[in-house]
Amino acid sequence: MFKTITPKEYYSFIISKPMSLLILIASILLLLILISGVKLNAFIALIISAFFVGIAKEMPFTDLINSIQQGVGSTLGSLILIIAFGVVLGNLLSDSGAAQRISSVMIRSFGVRHIKWAMVITGFSVGISMFYNAGFIILIPMVFAVAKSTKQPIIYLGIAMASALSITHGFLPPHPGPTAIAVIFKANIGKTLLYGLLVALPALFAAGIVFPEFIKKINAFPPKGLFESKTFTETEMPSFGISIVTALVPVFLMGMATFSELAFPEENALRSVLLFIGNPTTSMLIAVLFAVFSLGIFRGRKMQDIMDKSGSAMSSATMIILIIGAGGAFKQVLIDSGMGTDLSQFFAKSSLSPLVLGWLIATIIRIALGSATVAGLTAAGIVQPLVVASGVSPELMVLSIGAGSLMCSHVNDTGFWMFKEYFGISVSDTFKTWTVMETIIGVMGLIGVLLLNLWIK
């Protein structure tokens, strides 16, 4: 399928198609300059870069505009509802005290000796249905409270929690990044979730359980008075059972849909029903409706109050939606301009696996631009033609690019600064903790994908 490219073939390709590689490199450099240098919003920078690629590739202006619009529409068409419902569900979990209940029960269950496991499982449970930033802000006060009561180092517990949130953000639908990449590759969302769990667990063990043992001596100095926000009392919080069930409803429904594809024939009526309710949009809507009643109405809250707070929460997803749409536009222009075809012709003669190539491109863009979402979407647009040509599992491609998009977080990533400031540590210590943790996740993710590829044909 793949063969090693000879120097003569490489030279021939470079001579025959020099502009495609130059334009691609220039477009990524332009993104870097606009976002990191000029400090332009990533949404605007991606649209400008899309125009740059189209004009440089001599696309007719009408076709270029249509390509950008098509890219935005096709990417967001199946994604925007998932994002909106995800924001509402996350808000209901936090605003009702369900997220705090999950955390407190885990802590009591595991005890001081295994407190890391409690933080990892808590972060994973909450992170499945919540954006990274929201999950971090909700769980970080609990990290400090647990550290104080158990006398464990704050960073030790913080890394365990943050690793779980990061893994769910990078690997698992219905999070925007992996879901958007799955849309690009036309990957099955349910299978992506199933494979993502298999890849996530070893990465979580390495980054959240093993790695914290090496950073116990790093001291944290969080700002005083930072966490004087409301802490729910025992009577104010819902039960653990209803809290964890509500958080996992979309995962359960999507898992049942995936199971039905394996267990029932295509014409089976039950399979059709399960596929319908297990569709990401449907499952997220069902989860939201379930949460409205289980965490709201049945606990005495008024519908108007629930909807007002949920509406305010959805405004936080506006920029995420715009960036994803712009990433889809950039991707579409790369495809429609023939850039992807040119690259696939080059890499089709390479011995490098598309899984490794996607991971590597995502890693490079992540290092250059900082945004995991931008890195994932851009890498997906570049390697999309290879997925069709090589026959590699599109679900595994989603995960390999997701792993690459988490690699080597540094000073151009907002997550880097959020971790640094909340824990009050130096830039050097942030590299030693946060950056190393993200890199461990990225490397373990790639290893997991390559191992799964030996089994999935």
Side-chain angles (χ1 to χ4, degrees), residues 116 153 155-156 159 205-219 429 432-433 436 440:
K116 267 187 312 182
I155 291 292
Y156 173 78
I159 281 290
F205 180 78
I209 300 300
V210 176
F211 175 60
E213 296 295 329
F214 296 91
I215 56 173
K216 277 187 171 182
K217 294 183 179 180
I218 295 178
N219 295 318
D429 283 342
K432 294 175 184 176
T433 54
V436 174
I440 290 172

Side-chain angles (χ1 to χ4, degrees), residues 41-247:
N41 182 275
F43 164 70
I44 300 174
L46 279 164
I47 296 297
I48 292 174
S49 298
F51 273 109
F52 170 80
V53 170
I55 293 171
K57 289 287 290 182
E58 300 181 350
M59 290 181 67
F61 292 148
T62 302
D63 292 349
L64 175 55
I65 294 295
N66 289 337
S67 183
I68 290 174
Q69 292 174 344
Q70 181 185 347
V72 173
S74 62
T75 301
L76 292 182
S78 57
L79 187 62
I80 192 167
L81 292 177
I82 299 173
I83 297 175
F85 290 143
V87 171
V88 175
L89 179 59
N91 176 259
L92 287 166
L93 287 169
S94 61
D95 198 48
S96 65
Q100 183 177 328
R101 171 66 78 184
I102 293 170
S103 178
S104 61
V105 170
M106 290 293 183
I107 291 165
R108 290 199 302 270
S109 301
F110 284 87
V112 176
R113 184 177 178 183
H114 302 294
I115 199 64
K116 267 187 312 182
W117 285 98
M119 301 313 300
V120 163
I121 294 174
T122 299
F124 196 81
S125 301
V126 172
I128 282 176
S129 58
M130 194 175 293
F131 293 122
Y132 175 86
N133 289 350
F136 184 89
I137 292 170
I138 289 167
L139 294 181
I140 195 69
M142 301 176 206
V143 172
F144 283 79
V146 171
K148 183 177 180 180
S149 61
T150 61
K151 309 299 181 184
Q152 296 295 317
I154 296 175
I155 291 292
Y156 173 78
L157 299 178
I159 281 290
M161 178 273 292
S163 65
L165 289 174
S166 183
I167 284 172
T168 58
H169 174 75
F171 291 160
L172 305 181
H175 278 270
T179 306
I181 298 170
V183 170
I184 292 173
F185 288 137
K186 294 181 173 59
N188 181 288
I189 297 289
K191 287 183 179 179
T192 302
L193 176 60
L194 176 62
Y195 298 161
L197 288 170
L198 295 176
V199 171
L201 294 178
L204 187 58
F205 180 78
I209 300 300
V210 176
F211 175 60
E213 296 295 329
F214 296 91
I215 56 173
K216 277 187 171 182
K217 294 183 179 180
I218 295 178
N219 295 318
F221 304 95
K224 294 182 180 180
L226 182 62
F227 300 117
E228 294 179 348
S229 57
K230 177 183 178 181
T231 299
F232 292 92
T233 64
E234 187 69 20
T235 56
E236 289 175 326
M237 293 184 291
S239 69
F240 175 74
I242 198 64
S243 298
I244 196 71
V245 166
T246 303

Side-chain angles (χ1 to χ4, degrees), residues 219-223 421-425:
N219 295 318
F221 304 95
E421 295 303 320
Y422 269 90
F423 286 101
I425 57 179

